[in-house]
Amino acid sequence: QVQLVESGGGSVQAGGSLRLSCAASGYTYSNRYMGWFRQAPGKEREGVAAIYTGTGTTYYAGSVKGRFTISQDTKNTLYLQMNSLKPEDTAMYYCAGSPYGGNLWYRYLEVRGQGTQVTVSS
C-alpha cells in the first residue's frame, strides 16, 4: 500500500521556521518528482518545492525561493525546511510524487499525503 505521511506543521509567528517531514512507504522513489505543494482556501494549488530523484535537481516556486529548502534522506523521507515564514505561507501543505512535469510536476500527481497545516501569524 502506497502511503505518504506528513508531519511538522503547526502555528508560528512571521519570521519563524518550521520543518516538514514526509515518510513514504510502498512507493518507488526513483526517477520521480518528490515535492511539496500547498493549497489555501479559495486559492489554486501551488507547487512549493520538488526534487527530481533521478538527478537531484530541485525546483522552487518564486514565492519561496531563498526561504525554503527541500531535501531527502536515504530512507525515503522528504523534508521541507521553511525559514522566514510569512502570513501568505499559510496553507495546507501536501507531500506528493509525480512521474513527470518539471516545474509543473504538481499537476501530474500519482500519490499524495493527507496534508499538514501551516499557519503563520503576523
Side-chain angles (χ1 to χ4, degrees):
Q1 180 181 359
V2 176
Q3 195 172 18
L4 301 181
V5 179
E6 304 97 334
S7 60
S11 297
V12 65
Q13 289 192 328
S17 298
L18 286 172
R19 188 192 194 205
L20 305 184
S21 299
C22 171
S25 59
Y27 182 60
T28 301
Y29 241 62
S30 61
N31 298 317
R32 288 293 190 274
Y33 293 88
M34 294 300 303
W36 299 86
F37 71 90
R38 66 187 181 188
Q39 191 151 23
K43 295 188 177 180
E44 291 187 358
R45 179 185 299 180
E46 180 183 22
V48 175
I51 184 168
Y52 182 65
T53 59
T55 61
T57 302
T58 55
Y59 302 82
Y60 292 96
S63 58
V64 307
K65 199 169 292 186
R67 300 188 297 123
F68 291 11
T69 303
I70 190 169
S71 62
Q72 63 178 82
D73 66 14
T74 57
K75 296 182 179 180
N76 279 3
T77 301
L78 191 70
Y79 303 97
L80 184 69
Q81 178 66 44
M82 305 186 295
N83 298 328
S84 302
L85 282 161
K86 304 176 181 180
E88 50 264 42
D89 294 319
T90 296
M92 186 71 80
Y93 284 71
Y94 299 88
C95 174
S98 169
Y100 45 75
N103 279 324
L104 300 180
W105 65 274
Y106 56 95
R107 296 187 181 181
Y108 308 100
L109 303 181
E110 61 182 358
V111 63
R112 57 182 282 180
Q114 294 298 308
T116 185
Q117 178 68 38
V118 171
T119 302
V120 185
S121 58
S122 57

